[in-house]
Amino acid sequence: MSSPIRRCSLKGKAIPPPPIPTKETKLRSTPIVNPGADAGSVDKDKASAEMEISLALADLLPMRWTGNDFEFDEEIDPEQERRLSVKKNQKWENLFPTRSTFKSIRRLTLQTSPPAGFSFLIPADHQRPWTPPVGYACVYESWFNNCSLWWPLPEFLMTYYSRRKIALGQYTANEIRILVTLTVLAAELGIKMSVRLFEELTTPSITAKTGFFYGKMVPKYNVITGKPSKVNFWNRVYFYVKINEASFEDLSVLLNGYFNANIGMISNR
């Protein structure tokens, strides 16, 4: 069941009002002030408490990048959070609640400079990469911090996912690194990376236990050398990104919302 705090309307507000105290925030709605403190100390304590509350809410509510800083985005309809994001009889294991926070995503935003309108939501403790609300997709901080992916996510990437009938959140960091490297290398050679070319250079696979999709370079075409074999704990830090023009280059590409255990065949290259 969704927390009542997620349904409060704060769209467009930079600093939220103090919330009703809940176990989820683990914060006091008002600061405890030392009776002997002077007015300056009281004001400082109050400002500190308001900032603490703001950061707590930013970990719970959708946030929108304005180009200079974040503000609260429109709230999530409870019905959006009830989408079944796994198919019947599928069970994914060994995945934990996200370690992403508003601070970590704000830092990532300043490093990657997404367009204004970029909006994200941090998953609650019960949510996983396969349970984004309707209108959102799951991405991992390591895709940008370790693999140099950029905003908005390139059309080629989304087309490949769509034709393979897999969810965006199924892709491993190592696969993203291969995709980014090949895309940049192709651009330096004056070649536009296509789904067909990527299929010729890599072989896809899915891990049965976690449902993650990964690929390997075809040995005779392996032009990537010296890269790390893996990114440790890459799937521990993830968040939901709103599907809009600030985050996705081509909104006409149909995204699969389900983790899929079967790799779809690409019929139209």
Side-chain angles (χ1 to χ4, degrees):
M1 182 176 180
S2 299
S3 166
I5 203 169
R6 279 209 171 173
R7 295 198 289 271
C8 31
S9 181
L10 295 170
K11 183 180 180 181
K13 294 183 179 180
I15 301 178
I20 298 173
T22 65
K23 291 183 179 179
E24 191 168 6
T25 61
K26 297 180 181 179
L27 291 172
R28 295 181 293 271
S29 59
T30 56
I32 296 177
V33 179
N34 183 349
D38 57 30
S41 297
V42 171
D43 290 342
K44 185 176 180 180
D45 288 343
K46 182 178 179 180
S48 177
E50 289 177 348
M51 176 61 70
E52 190 176 2
I53 291 170
S54 298
L55 292 175
L57 284 175
D59 283 343
L60 299 171
L61 298 170
M63 301 298 295
R64 180 180 181 275
W65 176 245
T66 64
N68 296 308
D69 211 335
F70 281 100
E71 64 183 14
F72 288 105
D73 199 0
E74 58 187 346
E75 64 271 19
I76 298 291
D77 188 316
E79 290 300 321
Q80 289 179 266
E81 294 190 299
R82 293 176 184 166
R83 179 180 68 176
L84 296 177
S85 296
V86 291
K87 294 184 178 180
K88 188 177 180 180
N89 298 324
Q90 289 187 5
K91 182 181 179 181
W92 310 114
E93 301 176 355
N94 293 340
L95 288 175
F96 302 91
T98 184
R99 293 183 180 178
S100 286
T101 64
F102 171 71
K103 289 183 178 180
S104 71
I105 300 176
R106 188 177 190 278
R107 183 166 55 248
L108 183 147
T109 301
L110 295 175
Q111 292 171 349
T112 57
S113 302
F118 162 75
S119 182
F120 73 88
L121 174 67
I122 297 175
D125 286 347
H126 68 279
Q127 293 177 309
R128 296 295 184 269
W130 53 84
T131 57
V134 175
Y136 285 77
C138 180
V139 298
Y140 300 84
E141 291 190 33
S142 63
W143 289 0
F144 306 90
N145 293 331
N146 301 107
C147 308
S148 302
L149 190 60
W150 59 88
W151 303 105
L153 299 183
E155 181 271 338
F156 152 68
L157 176 68
M158 310 320 302
T159 300
Y160 182 68
Y161 289 160
S162 178
R163 294 183 180 180
R164 279 295 182 186
K165 303 185 187 306
I166 59 174
L168 182 61
Q170 284 184 259
Y171 241 33
T172 64
N174 196 51
E175 179 69 2
I176 291 291
R177 176 179 282 157
I178 292 174
L179 187 146
V180 168
T181 302
L182 291 178
T183 300
V184 172
L185 180 60
E188 291 176 347
L189 297 174
I191 302 171
K192 183 178 180 180
M193 179 57 67
S194 65
V195 172
R196 180 175 182 178
L197 179 56
F198 190 73
E199 283 287 304
E200 293 291 338
L201 297 173
T202 62
T203 55
S205 184
I206 282 183
T207 54
K209 194 170 186 179
T210 63
F212 284 124
F213 179 94
Y214 66 95
K216 295 181 179 179
M217 294 292 300
V218 174
K220 66 178 180 179
Y221 297 137
N222 191 0
V223 295
I224 302 176
T225 60
K227 70 177 182 65
S229 59
K230 64 178 181 178
V231 178
N232 292 324
F233 309 114
W234 65 271
N235 57 356
R236 299 289 183 87
V237 191
Y238 55 89
F239 60 98
Y240 301 148
V241 63
K242 193 172 188 177
I243 300 174
N244 60 21
E245 63 279 357
S247 301
F248 294 85
E249 191 173 66
D250 187 353
L251 296 179
S252 68
V253 178
L254 181 63
L255 297 180
N256 182 33
Y258 296 95
F259 263 40
N260 190 356
N262 300 308
I263 301 176
M265 297 301 295
I266 296 181
S267 57
N268 179 17
R269 294 186 176 184

